[in-house]
Amino acid sequence: MTVLPYLVAGWIFLIGVYGLVTSRDLIHAVGCLAVTQSSTYVLLLAVGYRNGGTAPVFADAPTNSRVVDPVVQALTLTDIVVGATVTALLLALVVQLRKRHGTVDPDALSELKG
Amino acid sequence: MSSRVRLWVFLVGAAGFAALFAAACFDLPAFGTVPHPYGARAMHAALSHHTANVIASVNFDLRAFDTLGEETILFSAVIGTVVLLRQARDEHRKDPEPATIHPPVRRFALLTLPLALLVGLYVIAHGQISPGGGFQGGVVTATALHLLYIAADYRALERVRPLTLYEIGEAAGEAAYVITGFAAVLAGSAFLTNVLPFGTLATLSSGGTAMVLNAAVGLEVTSGIVVLLARFLDQAVEIEEPGEDDGNPRHTGGSGGSGGSGGNGDDER
């Protein structure tokens, strides 16, 4: 079935959003956001795949060999590291919330405090 | 909105998304057989600039300006985390108590540390030739340092990790990227154009500015991750919440450096 990799990407996306919607814990929510984000990696890599293709690195492969699409791989690569640091920033926010409000339950964070 | 209503709103939205996404997937070209016009052009461009790793060429040559933006997101995220996780006025620092480490864990960590450090630096240096580069190698190098936390203790980690130096390193990585871009302007080309000699394909000095930008990103990612982990470790190990402070407060803003305070017998462990 040739559309399976694309459908898997959509499924990972929905699972991540489901986790975000039902989350009772902000750390769990940040994790779910990371899962949602990773669905784009699967989609990008699925779009770039070529049957029988090797890695787009020509250090020891002949320059006319069949390789997978390097553009989507480059997009995925930078997003992974950037996504990791943004996740760290969100977790830092959660740490501060826990300190100032004493809870990490998003439903309990209704009142303003200032 | 109650959680039940929220779930129903999600389910309706998810069903709509799933239907549209599936329809879109069945209209996409079949998996693995697509012609890749951009990929083919990127490969041609990379080979004409003698960069063996096409992905590095896309990142640091063709899309160098985009990578500057991504690097800046990383830079700002680290700064944001540092600001958020600083020591608040009503919090105290407490010297962490050394814990016992099982000898096999310690041996393994000490054995792996130099190896991981070397692999990280190798991956950064060979970014234009082999799979890898500044982003991946930076993460490996930064986490390798933290094996010392597993092998010895937090103090030892603080001693090999003068945090100010890594904060400067992070800024220097970002600055080096921008300066390389302006160097191309001084040489008479557009910002971030590859103006250096391209070298020989698949040697360490190939790729022109791709190699320089790769090193700059490696420096920034290494320093950035070290600073990030340091802040989280600070929160977990050192900073006490206002309520649960049991004496021995240490009102120092910066960490490390104070080797004199380590005289309570945990240094020779």
Side-chain angles (χ1 to χ4, degrees):
Chain A
M1 189 156 164
T2 57
V3 290
L4 189 63
Y6 306 137
L7 293 179
V8 166
W11 179 75
I12 296 174
F13 177 84
L14 282 177
I15 289 289
V17 178
Y18 171 79
L20 273 175
V21 169
T22 57
S23 175
R24 293 295 195 83
D25 183 327
L26 282 172
I27 293 176
H28 174 258
V30 173
C32 289
L33 192 65
V35 170
T36 312
Q37 195 180 8
S38 60
S39 71
T40 57
Y41 311 153
V42 177
L43 185 65
L44 281 172
L45 295 181
V47 166
Y49 184 73
R50 284 175 83 188
N51 285 331
T54 175
V57 178
F58 295 112
D60 43 11
T63 51
N64 58 354
S65 52
R66 174 197 283 246
V67 296
V68 299
D69 194 334
V71 178
V72 289
Q73 297 220 340
L75 294 176
T76 310
L77 152 69
T78 43
D79 192 39
I80 288 173
V81 176
V82 170
T85 47
V86 171
T87 304
L89 180 68
L90 290 173
L91 287 175
L93 271 173
V94 177
V95 167
Q96 286 301 342
L97 267 177
R98 168 70 180 72
K99 278 190 195 164
R100 300 296 156 215
H101 292 262
T103 176
V104 288
D105 183 357
D107 288 334
L109 289 169
S110 50
E111 87 269 32
L112 291 172
K113 191 171 167 187
Chain B
M1 199 189 298
S2 78
S3 58
R4 181 178 290 270
V5 177
R6 194 161 54 191
L7 188 62
W8 275 108
V9 171
F10 165 75
L11 286 178
V12 172
F17 170 82
L20 289 174
F21 187 81
C25 284
F26 280 99
D27 245 13
L28 277 176
F31 176 69
T33 57
V34 202
H36 292 104
Y38 290 111
R41 282 171 175 77
M43 261 170 312
H44 187 259
L47 288 174
S48 71
H49 282 190
H50 299 193
T51 315
N53 181 357
V54 185
I55 300 165
S57 173
V58 171
N59 272 335
F60 300 117
D61 197 351
L62 303 176
R63 289 176 63 244
F65 193 61
D66 286 9
T67 306
L68 176 62
E70 277 149 6
E71 212 195 350
T72 311
I73 297 176
L74 197 149
F75 184 64
S76 329
V78 172
I79 291 180
T81 311
V82 167
V83 169
L84 277 173
L85 293 184
R86 70 194 185 283
Q87 186 181 5
R89 217 172 293 128
D90 52 351
E91 287 168 344
H92 304 297
R93 268 174 189 271
K94 189 166 148 280
D95 280 335
E97 312 237 325
T100 48
I101 303 154
H102 295 293
V105 174
R106 175 126 129 224
R107 272 200 297 277
F108 182 72
L110 282 178
L111 197 76
T112 328
L113 191 140
L115 212 64
L117 210 56
L118 193 68
V119 168
L121 293 176
Y122 174 89
V123 169
I124 295 178
H126 290 70
Q128 67 277 22
I129 306 171
S130 64
F135 284 106
Q136 303 93 315
V139 174
V140 175
T141 314
T143 40
L145 277 184
H146 289 81
L147 281 170
L148 201 60
Y149 179 44
I150 298 174
D153 67 350
Y154 192 65
R155 278 278 176 62
L157 176 66
E158 277 190 332
R159 231 172 276 134
V160 298
R161 192 198 61 188
L163 212 49
T164 328
L165 210 62
Y166 284 98
E167 280 165 355
I168 293 171
E170 203 210 349
E174 176 85 13
Y177 203 105
V178 177
I179 289 169
T180 313
F182 277 117
V185 175
L186 287 182
S189 302
F191 185 62
L192 282 170
T193 312
N194 198 341
V195 286
L196 290 178
F198 297 138
T200 320
L201 183 76
T203 58
L204 205 54
S205 61
S206 61
T209 49
M211 180 184 63
V212 181
L213 296 178
N214 182 43
V217 166
L219 177 62
E220 175 169 355
V221 173
T222 307
S223 315
I225 302 282
V226 167
V227 171
L228 267 189
L229 288 176
R231 293 298 160 163
F232 278 101
L233 281 175
D234 254 11
Q235 289 286 326
V237 181
E238 283 204 87
I239 291 183
E240 295 273 300
E241 280 192 48
E244 55 184 68
D245 127 64
D246 51 342
N248 193 15
R250 183 154 68 103
H251 289 280
T252 46
S255 51
S258 58
S261 66
N264 49 356
D266 54 323
D267 278 1
E268 67 272 17
R269 287 181 331 104

